[in-house]
Amino acid sequence: MQPVRSATIFGCLGPHLSRAEASFFAEVDPVGFILFARNVDTPEQVVRLTGALRDAVGWQAPIFVDQEGGRVQRLRAPQWREWMPPLDQVMAAGPDRAARSMYLRSLLIGREHLALGIDGNCAPCADIARADTHPFLRNRCYGEDLATVVENSRAVAEGLADAGVFPVVKHLPGHGLATRDSHHDLPQVTASRGELEKTDFAAFRALNDLNWGMSAHLVFEEIDADAPATLSLAMIQVIREEIGFDGLLMTDDLSMNALPGGIAARAAGAIAAGCDVVLHCNGKPEEMAEVAAAAGRLGEAASKRLERALGRRRAPVDMTDDAALAELNALLM
């Protein structure tokens, strides 16, 4: 019988885990952790940090990072490889080679993660880009049409999984129609439900077998005009029932300004709406205490999803980094 863990994933403040942080994590027992650039210095330091985080909770808790490439990349040169924005790579490779190139890139990214004790990447980004998609998201996407996005998202998920790393598909149920940056404002989507079902929702339906997912902080006016998807019972029902996603659903970062109310209200609202786990990234201890109290413990269904997701890690494939990099470079020539 697995312990009933806190319905939270937390960040920490810096490159080293403090005694106070370790004590808090030991008491709360979150589902996992997430790292940011502030937590990263050298490979040796990251290995120590990931080890300390797991020592604090006493189990092999998953540790995530956002390593999309381009602007959203926490591990950077000279210690780690630099990656072009995903949409730029898709365009450079061309339609016949893009998926294979994204697979190889993700395999290499995942291997860099695993060597550091990081075993989850918040990718693929299965949002469909449009001409007016906000620049904060547009070049993080993998294409401008349903088929291309699904093919390349699947390739990213497979590449990460073949490296032994958990892929986290985002941003359910689709962020590509956002013309505002949800870090600062609440995007409003006015598209009809019929249009959404044929495009954005369809992309995630094609990927609904993945075991980890992240919600979107935006309003779909025709379905729920009063709450962003992360806090909307109606939108989480769309994700579960219409899209058919039954993996562990985490929120996007609760600290983003698209969400209304205080941090505790956001955490409680996301769990009440049907998210399994809340993601809190900034590492501020006073906020983390509020979030943990408001989110509570994992529900029965969420606990089963977590156990299933953790149990589906793949053994890494037998392909050398040199071979993968050589093939990738040839595809992008």
Side-chain angles (χ1 to χ4, degrees):
M1 189 75 176
Q2 293 291 327
V4 180
R5 306 190 189 283
S6 169
T8 53
I9 294 173
F10 284 124
C12 58
L13 279 175
H16 308 288
L17 193 66
S18 71
R19 289 184 180 179
E21 287 173 321
S23 177
F24 172 76
F25 294 144
E27 178 183 354
V28 170
D29 194 14
V31 161
F33 303 98
I34 189 165
L35 301 186
F36 284 80
R38 67 179 184 269
N39 307 123
V40 171
D41 184 12
T42 66
E44 296 78 14
Q45 168 268 321
V46 178
V47 169
R48 288 194 296 271
L49 177 58
T50 56
L53 288 166
R54 291 188 172 111
D55 287 345
V57 293
W59 67 289
Q60 194 68 13
I63 299 177
F64 300 93
V65 71
D66 286 299
Q67 188 77 351
E68 300 174 7
R71 181 166 41 85
V72 180
Q73 183 167 325
R74 315 307 184 194
L75 308 171
R76 291 197 170 273
Q79 304 281 7
W80 297 279
R81 297 182 184 92
E82 291 284 334
W83 303 97
M84 69 176 78
L87 190 58
D88 292 0
Q89 178 167 319
V90 167
M91 295 174 68
D96 296 333
R97 301 185 292 182
R100 180 63 179 173
S101 81
M102 294 300 284
Y103 170 86
L104 293 165
R105 159 195 177 118
S106 301
L107 179 69
L108 290 162
I109 288 173
R111 285 183 172 173
E112 287 187 336
H113 291 356
L114 208 60
L116 300 170
I118 298 168
D119 56 2
N121 190 1
C122 297
C125 181
D127 306 310
I128 301 174
R130 273 77 164 191
D132 59 351
T133 298
H134 193 281
F136 101 93
L137 179 67
R138 180 174 161 75
N139 71 356
R140 298 163 58 193
C141 299
Y142 303 158
E144 297 179 311
D145 64 86
L146 174 63
T148 298
V149 168
V150 170
E151 182 182 23
N152 292 329
S153 294
R154 178 65 68 181
V156 168
E158 291 294 309
L160 292 170
D162 280 350
V165 168
F166 301 122
V168 181
V169 65
K170 62 187 184 185
H171 305 81
L172 285 141
H175 215 304
L177 285 166
T179 57
R180 295 179 178 178
D181 181 351
S182 55
H183 292 84
H184 305 292
D185 301 294
L186 177 60
Q188 304 275 338
V189 174
T190 59
S192 71
R193 189 173 192 138
E195 179 185 347
L196 291 165
E197 289 172 352
K198 294 176 183 177
T199 54
D200 299 65
F201 295 177
F204 288 93
R205 190 179 304 116
L207 301 162
N208 66 12
D209 59 305
L210 297 180
N211 296 301
W212 306 81
M214 179 183 288
S215 70
H217 297 338
L218 72 169
V219 166
F220 293 86
E221 292 185 359
E222 188 169 299
I223 301 171
D224 186 344
D226 298 321
T230 297
L231 304 179
S232 168
L233 179 62
M235 290 309 308
I236 301 303
Q237 286 178 333
V238 167
I239 291 170
R240 293 301 193 194
E241 297 172 11
E242 296 183 28
I243 291 174
F245 179 76
D246 194 35
L248 190 86
L249 182 64
M250 66 180 74
T251 70
D252 205 344
D253 184 11
L254 291 182
S255 301
M256 293 164 64
N257 289 333
L259 297 182
I263 199 73
R266 296 174 183 182
I271 297 298
C275 293
D276 294 315
V277 173
V278 297
L279 176 66
H280 181 269
C281 297
N282 65 28
K284 294 180 179 179
E286 64 279 3
E287 288 191 11
M288 291 197 296
E290 288 187 63
V291 167
R297 315 307 284 183
L298 286 178
E300 182 178 355
S303 294
K304 290 179 178 177
R305 292 183 184 116
L306 174 62
E307 186 174 2
R308 183 173 66 230
L310 292 172
R312 290 184 176 173
R313 186 199 307 274
R314 284 187 203 166
V317 298
D318 185 16
M319 183 181 195
T320 68
D321 285 6
D322 287 345
L325 192 58
E327 184 182 350
L328 175 59
N329 289 336
L331 291 170
L332 298 177
M333 289 179 62

PDB file of all heavy atoms in Angstrom, residues 197-222:
ATOM      1  N   GLU A 197     -12.992  21.045 -30.578  1.00  0.00           N
ATOM      2  CA  GLU A 197     -12.996  19.582 -30.628  1.00  0.00           C
ATOM      3  C   GLU A 197     -12.266  19.055 -31.853  1.00  0.00           C
ATOM      4  O   GLU A 197     -11.680  17.967 -31.830  1.00  0.00           O
ATOM      5  CB  GLU A 197     -14.432  19.064 -30.589  1.00  0.00           C
ATOM      6  CG  GLU A 197     -15.088  19.242 -29.221  1.00  0.00           C
ATOM      7  CD  GLU A 197     -16.568  18.917 -29.214  1.00  0.00           C
ATOM      8  OE1 GLU A 197     -17.123  18.685 -30.320  1.00  0.00           O
ATOM      9  OE2 GLU A 197     -17.175  18.919 -28.126  1.00  0.00           O
ATOM     10  N   LYS A 198     -12.243  19.840 -32.941  1.00  0.00           N
ATOM     11  CA  LYS A 198     -11.566  19.418 -34.160  1.00  0.00           C
ATOM     12  C   LYS A 198     -10.080  19.769 -34.171  1.00  0.00           C
ATOM     13  O   LYS A 198      -9.330  19.236 -34.990  1.00  0.00           O
ATOM     14  CB  LYS A 198     -12.237  20.072 -35.371  1.00  0.00           C
ATOM     15  CG  LYS A 198     -13.656  19.615 -35.627  1.00  0.00           C
ATOM     16  CD  LYS A 198     -14.262  20.396 -36.787  1.00  0.00           C
ATOM     17  CE  LYS A 198     -15.710  20.014 -37.012  1.00  0.00           C
ATOM     18  NZ  LYS A 198     -16.333  20.829 -38.106  1.00  0.00           N
ATOM     19  N   THR A 199      -9.661  20.658 -33.290  1.00  0.00           N
ATOM     20  CA  THR A 199      -8.283  21.152 -33.329  1.00  0.00           C
ATOM     21  C   THR A 199      -7.576  20.901 -31.997  1.00  0.00           C
ATOM     22  O   THR A 199      -7.024  19.833 -31.777  1.00  0.00           O
ATOM     23  CB  THR A 199      -8.273  22.645 -33.701  1.00  0.00           C
ATOM     24  OG1 THR A 199      -9.132  23.376 -32.790  1.00  0.00           O
ATOM     25  CG2 THR A 199      -8.761  22.848 -35.123  1.00  0.00           C
ATOM     26  N   ASP A 200      -7.638  21.873 -31.107  1.00  0.00           N
ATOM     27  CA  ASP A 200      -6.859  21.807 -29.859  1.00  0.00           C
ATOM     28  C   ASP A 200      -7.183  20.575 -29.027  1.00  0.00           C
ATOM     29  O   ASP A 200      -6.274  19.876 -28.565  1.00  0.00           O
ATOM     30  CB  ASP A 200      -7.104  23.075 -29.040  1.00  0.00           C
ATOM     31  CG  ASP A 200      -6.659  24.316 -29.781  1.00  0.00           C
ATOM     32  OD1 ASP A 200      -7.262  24.633 -30.830  1.00  0.00           O
ATOM     33  OD2 ASP A 200      -5.711  24.970 -29.332  1.00  0.00           O
ATOM     34  N   PHE A 201      -8.456  20.308 -28.813  1.00  0.00           N
ATOM     35  CA  PHE A 201      -8.822  19.148 -28.009  1.00  0.00           C
ATOM     36  C   PHE A 201      -8.421  17.850 -28.707  1.00  0.00           C
ATOM     37  O   PHE A 201      -8.014  16.885 -28.051  1.00  0.00           O
ATOM     38  CB  PHE A 201     -10.331  19.127 -27.734  1.00  0.00           C
ATOM     39  CG  PHE A 201     -10.853  20.267 -26.895  1.00  0.00           C
ATOM     40  CD1 PHE A 201     -12.212  20.375 -26.640  1.00  0.00           C
ATOM     41  CD2 PHE A 201     -10.009  21.237 -26.356  1.00  0.00           C
ATOM     42  CE1 PHE A 201     -12.718  21.417 -25.874  1.00  0.00           C
ATOM     43  CE2 PHE A 201     -10.507  22.285 -25.596  1.00  0.00           C
ATOM     44  CZ  PHE A 201     -11.864  22.380 -25.360  1.00  0.00           C
ATOM     45  N   ALA A 202      -8.505  17.845 -30.029  1.00  0.00           N
ATOM     46  CA  ALA A 202      -8.156  16.636 -30.785  1.00  0.00           C
ATOM     47  C   ALA A 202      -6.680  16.288 -30.643  1.00  0.00           C
ATOM     48  O   ALA A 202      -6.311  15.104 -30.634  1.00  0.00           O
ATOM     49  CB  ALA A 202      -8.513  16.812 -32.258  1.00  0.00           C
ATOM     50  N   ALA A 203      -5.827  17.297 -30.533  1.00  0.00           N
ATOM     51  CA  ALA A 203      -4.398  17.025 -30.368  1.00  0.00           C
ATOM     52  C   ALA A 203      -4.144  16.252 -29.073  1.00  0.00           C
ATOM     53  O   ALA A 203      -3.395  15.266 -29.051  1.00  0.00           O
ATOM     54  CB  ALA A 203      -3.617  18.342 -30.360  1.00  0.00           C
ATOM     55  N   PHE A 204      -4.782  16.669 -28.001  1.00  0.00           N
ATOM     56  CA  PHE A 204      -4.579  15.988 -26.721  1.00  0.00           C
ATOM     57  C   PHE A 204      -5.320  14.654 -26.667  1.00  0.00           C
ATOM     58  O   PHE A 204      -4.864  13.736 -25.976  1.00  0.00           O
ATOM     59  CB  PHE A 204      -4.980  16.915 -25.573  1.00  0.00           C
ATOM     60  CG  PHE A 204      -4.006  18.038 -25.378  1.00  0.00           C
ATOM     61  CD1 PHE A 204      -4.201  19.260 -26.004  1.00  0.00           C
ATOM     62  CD2 PHE A 204      -2.872  17.863 -24.611  1.00  0.00           C
ATOM     63  CE1 PHE A 204      -3.285  20.288 -25.854  1.00  0.00           C
ATOM     64  CE2 PHE A 204      -1.950  18.884 -24.448  1.00  0.00           C
ATOM     65  CZ  PHE A 204      -2.161  20.104 -25.076  1.00  0.00           C
ATOM     66  N   ARG A 205      -6.414  14.552 -27.405  1.00  0.00           N
ATOM     67  CA  ARG A 205      -7.093  13.254 -27.464  1.00  0.00           C
ATOM     68  C   ARG A 205      -6.179  12.203 -28.092  1.00  0.00           C
ATOM     69  O   ARG A 205      -6.154  11.051 -27.666  1.00  0.00           O
ATOM     70  CB  ARG A 205      -8.391  13.388 -28.264  1.00  0.00           C
ATOM     71  CG  ARG A 205      -9.284  12.143 -28.183  1.00  0.00           C
ATOM     72  CD  ARG A 205     -10.578  12.333 -28.976  1.00  0.00           C
ATOM     73  NE  ARG A 205     -11.301  13.511 -28.534  1.00  0.00           N
ATOM     74  CZ  ARG A 205     -11.541  14.587 -29.288  1.00  0.00           C
ATOM     75  NH1 ARG A 205     -11.126  14.630 -30.543  1.00  0.00           N
ATOM     76  NH2 ARG A 205     -12.218  15.607 -28.799  1.00  0.00           N
ATOM     77  N   ALA A 206      -5.401  12.601 -29.078  1.00  0.00           N
ATOM     78  CA  ALA A 206      -4.479  11.673 -29.737  1.00  0.00           C
ATOM     79  C   ALA A 206      -3.310  11.277 -28.840  1.00  0.00           C
ATOM     80  O   ALA A 206      -2.608  10.306 -29.132  1.00  0.00           O
ATOM     81  CB  ALA A 206      -3.953  12.301 -31.025  1.00  0.00           C
ATOM     82  N   LEU A 207      -3.122  12.008 -27.751  1.00  0.00           N
ATOM     83  CA  LEU A 207      -2.015  11.750 -26.826  1.00  0.00           C
ATOM     84  C   LEU A 207      -2.519  11.358 -25.443  1.00  0.00           C
ATOM     85  O   LEU A 207      -1.782  11.413 -24.464  1.00  0.00           O
ATOM     86  CB  LEU A 207      -1.130  13.004 -26.723  1.00  0.00           C
ATOM     87  CG  LEU A 207      -0.504  13.482 -28.043  1.00  0.00           C
ATOM     88  CD1 LEU A 207      -0.033  14.923 -27.912  1.00  0.00           C
ATOM     89  CD2 LEU A 207       0.639  12.579 -28.464  1.00  0.00           C
ATOM     90  N   ASN A 208      -3.777  10.947 -25.359  1.00  0.00           N
ATOM     91  CA  ASN A 208      -4.395  10.740 -24.047  1.00  0.00           C
ATOM     92  C   ASN A 208      -3.889   9.506 -23.311  1.00  0.00           C
ATOM     93  O   ASN A 208      -4.270   9.281 -22.161  1.00  0.00           O
ATOM     94  CB  ASN A 208      -5.928  10.724 -24.148  1.00  0.00           C
ATOM     95  CG  ASN A 208      -6.476   9.537 -24.933  1.00  0.00           C
ATOM     96  OD1 ASN A 208      -5.761   8.587 -25.239  1.00  0.00           O
ATOM     97  ND2 ASN A 208      -7.758   9.599 -25.264  1.00  0.00           N
ATOM     98  N   ASP A 209      -3.034   8.718 -23.951  1.00  0.00           N
ATOM     99  CA  ASP A 209      -2.451   7.553 -23.282  1.00  0.00           C
ATOM    100  C   ASP A 209      -1.227   7.911 -22.455  1.00  0.00           C
ATOM    101  O   ASP A 209      -0.707   7.059 -21.713  1.00  0.00           O
ATOM    102  CB  ASP A 209      -2.059   6.499 -24.320  1.00  0.00           C
ATOM    103  CG  ASP A 209      -1.055   7.035 -25.329  1.00  0.00           C
ATOM    104  OD1 ASP A 209      -1.357   8.080 -25.954  1.00  0.00           O
ATOM    105  OD2 ASP A 209       0.018   6.440 -25.494  1.00  0.00           O
ATOM    106  N   LEU A 210      -0.731   9.137 -22.557  1.00  0.00           N
ATOM    107  CA  LEU A 210       0.435   9.531 -21.767  1.00  0.00           C
ATOM    108  C   LEU A 210       0.051   9.597 -20.289  1.00  0.00           C
ATOM    109  O   LEU A 210      -1.096   9.845 -19.939  1.00  0.00           O
ATOM    110  CB  LEU A 210       0.992  10.864 -22.262  1.00  0.00           C
ATOM    111  CG  LEU A 210       1.503  10.845 -23.709  1.00  0.00           C
ATOM    112  CD1 LEU A 210       2.039  12.211 -24.112  1.00  0.00           C
ATOM    113  CD2 LEU A 210       2.587   9.771 -23.898  1.00  0.00           C
ATOM    114  N   ASN A 211       1.025   9.388 -19.433  1.00  0.00           N
ATOM    115  CA  ASN A 211       0.741   9.174 -18.008  1.00  0.00           C
ATOM    116  C   ASN A 211       0.830  10.426 -17.137  1.00  0.00           C
ATOM    117  O   ASN A 211       0.422  10.387 -15.977  1.00  0.00           O
ATOM    118  CB  ASN A 211       1.713   8.126 -17.453  1.00  0.00           C
ATOM    119  CG  ASN A 211       1.520   6.775 -18.100  1.00  0.00           C
ATOM    120  OD1 ASN A 211       0.443   6.208 -18.026  1.00  0.00           O
ATOM    121  ND2 ASN A 211       2.556   6.252 -18.743  1.00  0.00           N
ATOM    122  N   TRP A 212       1.379  11.503 -17.694  1.00  0.00           N
ATOM    123  CA  TRP A 212       1.520  12.748 -16.942  1.00  0.00           C
ATOM    124  C   TRP A 212       1.037  13.890 -17.829  1.00  0.00           C
ATOM    125  O   TRP A 212       1.348  13.935 -19.022  1.00  0.00           O
ATOM    126  CB  TRP A 212       2.978  13.017 -16.569  1.00  0.00           C
ATOM    127  CG  TRP A 212       3.679  11.924 -15.837  1.00  0.00           C
ATOM    128  CD1 TRP A 212       4.250  10.801 -16.366  1.00  0.00           C
ATOM    129  CD2 TRP A 212       3.924  11.851 -14.425  1.00  0.00           C
ATOM    130  NE1 TRP A 212       4.818  10.032 -15.382  1.00  0.00           N
ATOM    131  CE2 TRP A 212       4.644  10.653 -14.187  1.00  0.00           C
ATOM    132  CE3 TRP A 212       3.614  12.684 -13.349  1.00  0.00           C
ATOM    133  CZ2 TRP A 212       5.051  10.268 -12.902  1.00  0.00           C
ATOM    134  CZ3 TRP A 212       4.027  12.304 -12.074  1.00  0.00           C
ATOM    135  CH2 TRP A 212       4.733  11.111 -11.861  1.00  0.00           C
ATOM    136  N   GLY A 213       0.302  14.836 -17.253  1.00  0.00           N
ATOM    137  CA  GLY A 213      -0.174  15.979 -18.012  1.00  0.00           C
ATOM    138  C   GLY A 213      -0.207  17.229 -17.154  1.00  0.00           C
ATOM    139  O   GLY A 213      -0.206  17.163 -15.923  1.00  0.00           O
ATOM    140  N   MET A 214      -0.247  18.382 -17.827  1.00  0.00           N
ATOM    141  CA  MET A 214      -0.269  19.685 -17.150  1.00  0.00           C
ATOM    142  C   MET A 214      -1.412  20.515 -17.700  1.00  0.00           C
ATOM    143  O   MET A 214      -1.617  20.577 -18.917  1.00  0.00           O
ATOM    144  CB  MET A 214       1.060  20.421 -17.369  1.00  0.00           C
ATOM    145  CG  MET A 214       1.132  21.797 -16.717  1.00  0.00           C
ATOM    146  SD  MET A 214       2.696  22.655 -17.080  1.00  0.00           S
ATOM    147  CE  MET A 214       3.821  21.671 -16.072  1.00  0.00           C
ATOM    148  N   SER A 215      -2.143  21.165 -16.808  1.00  0.00           N
ATOM    149  CA  SER A 215      -3.309  21.951 -17.207  1.00  0.00           C
ATOM    150  C   SER A 215      -2.904  23.334 -17.713  1.00  0.00           C
ATOM    151  O   SER A 215      -1.794  23.809 -17.502  1.00  0.00           O
ATOM    152  CB  SER A 215      -4.260  22.103 -16.023  1.00  0.00           C
ATOM    153  OG  SER A 215      -3.686  22.955 -15.038  1.00  0.00           O
ATOM    154  N   ALA A 216      -3.861  23.984 -18.369  1.00  0.00           N
ATOM    155  CA  ALA A 216      -3.658  25.325 -18.927  1.00  0.00           C
ATOM    156  C   ALA A 216      -4.398  26.366 -18.097  1.00  0.00           C
ATOM    157  O   ALA A 216      -5.523  26.134 -17.666  1.00  0.00           O
ATOM    158  CB  ALA A 216      -4.159  25.370 -20.375  1.00  0.00           C
ATOM    159  N   HIS A 217      -3.770  27.530 -17.948  1.00  0.00           N
ATOM    160  CA  HIS A 217      -4.400  28.652 -17.260  1.00  0.00           C
ATOM    161  C   HIS A 217      -5.025  29.592 -18.303  1.00  0.00           C
ATOM    162  O   HIS A 217      -4.472  30.645 -18.619  1.00  0.00           O
ATOM    163  CB  HIS A 217      -3.374  29.443 -16.446  1.00  0.00           C
ATOM    164  CG  HIS A 217      -2.712  28.695 -15.344  1.00  0.00           C
ATOM    165  ND1 HIS A 217      -3.231  27.566 -14.759  1.00  0.00           N
ATOM    166  CD2 HIS A 217      -1.533  28.951 -14.680  1.00  0.00           C
ATOM    167  CE1 HIS A 217      -2.415  27.155 -13.797  1.00  0.00           C
ATOM    168  NE2 HIS A 217      -1.387  27.968 -13.734  1.00  0.00           N
ATOM    169  N   LEU A 218      -6.137  29.196 -18.873  1.00  0.00           N
ATOM    170  CA  LEU A 218      -6.854  30.086 -19.783  1.00  0.00           C
ATOM    171  C   LEU A 218      -8.333  29.722 -19.780  1.00  0.00           C
ATOM    172  O   LEU A 218      -8.695  28.596 -19.462  1.00  0.00           O
ATOM    173  CB  LEU A 218      -6.287  30.048 -21.200  1.00  0.00           C
ATOM    174  CG  LEU A 218      -6.508  28.844 -22.096  1.00  0.00           C
ATOM    175  CD1 LEU A 218      -6.094  29.171 -23.530  1.00  0.00           C
ATOM    176  CD2 LEU A 218      -5.701  27.638 -21.641  1.00  0.00           C
ATOM    177  N   VAL A 219      -9.168  30.708 -20.125  1.00  0.00           N
ATOM    178  CA  VAL A 219     -10.623  30.547 -20.114  1.00  0.00           C
ATOM    179  C   VAL A 219     -11.117  30.168 -21.505  1.00  0.00           C
ATOM    180  O   VAL A 219     -10.752  30.810 -22.499  1.00  0.00           O
ATOM    181  CB  VAL A 219     -11.311  31.851 -19.645  1.00  0.00           C
ATOM    182  CG1 VAL A 219     -12.807  31.824 -19.947  1.00  0.00           C
ATOM    183  CG2 VAL A 219     -11.074  32.065 -18.160  1.00  0.00           C
ATOM    184  N   PHE A 220     -11.938  29.135 -21.565  1.00  0.00           N
ATOM    185  CA  PHE A 220     -12.654  28.773 -22.785  1.00  0.00           C
ATOM    186  C   PHE A 220     -14.097  29.256 -22.605  1.00  0.00           C
ATOM    187  O   PHE A 220     -14.889  28.622 -21.907  1.00  0.00           O
ATOM    188  CB  PHE A 220     -12.591  27.267 -23.008  1.00  0.00           C
ATOM    189  CG  PHE A 220     -11.199  26.764 -23.303  1.00  0.00           C
ATOM    190  CD1 PHE A 220     -10.327  26.444 -22.269  1.00  0.00           C
ATOM    191  CD2 PHE A 220     -10.762  26.633 -24.610  1.00  0.00           C
ATOM    192  CE1 PHE A 220      -9.039  25.997 -22.533  1.00  0.00           C
ATOM    193  CE2 PHE A 220      -9.472  26.189 -24.887  1.00  0.00           C
ATOM    194  CZ  PHE A 220      -8.606  25.866 -23.842  1.00  0.00           C
ATOM    195  N   GLU A 221     -14.410  30.374 -23.218  1.00  0.00           N
ATOM    196  CA  GLU A 221     -15.630  31.095 -22.883  1.00  0.00           C
ATOM    197  C   GLU A 221     -16.901  30.290 -23.138  1.00  0.00           C
ATOM    198  O   GLU A 221     -17.866  30.396 -22.376  1.00  0.00           O
ATOM    199  CB  GLU A 221     -15.676  32.422 -23.641  1.00  0.00           C
ATOM    200  CG  GLU A 221     -14.616  33.406 -23.169  1.00  0.00           C
ATOM    201  CD  GLU A 221     -14.731  34.772 -23.838  1.00  0.00           C
ATOM    202  OE1 GLU A 221     -15.631  34.939 -24.697  1.00  0.00           O
ATOM    203  OE2 GLU A 221     -13.934  35.658 -23.490  1.00  0.00           O
ATOM    204  N   GLU A 222     -16.929  29.478 -24.181  1.00  0.00           N
ATOM    205  CA  GLU A 222     -18.159  28.757 -24.491  1.00  0.00           C
ATOM    206  C   GLU A 222     -18.419  27.619 -23.504  1.00  0.00           C
ATOM    207  O   GLU A 222     -19.557  27.179 -23.352  1.00  0.00           O
ATOM    208  CB  GLU A 222     -18.101  28.198 -25.919  1.00  0.00           C
ATOM    209  CG  GLU A 222     -19.426  27.607 -26.370  1.00  0.00           C
ATOM    210  CD  GLU A 222     -19.474  27.289 -27.850  1.00  0.00           C
ATOM    211  OE1 GLU A 222     -19.323  28.228 -28.655  1.00  0.00           O
ATOM    212  OE2 GLU A 222     -19.674  26.111 -28.193  1.00  0.00           O
TER     213      GLU A 222
END
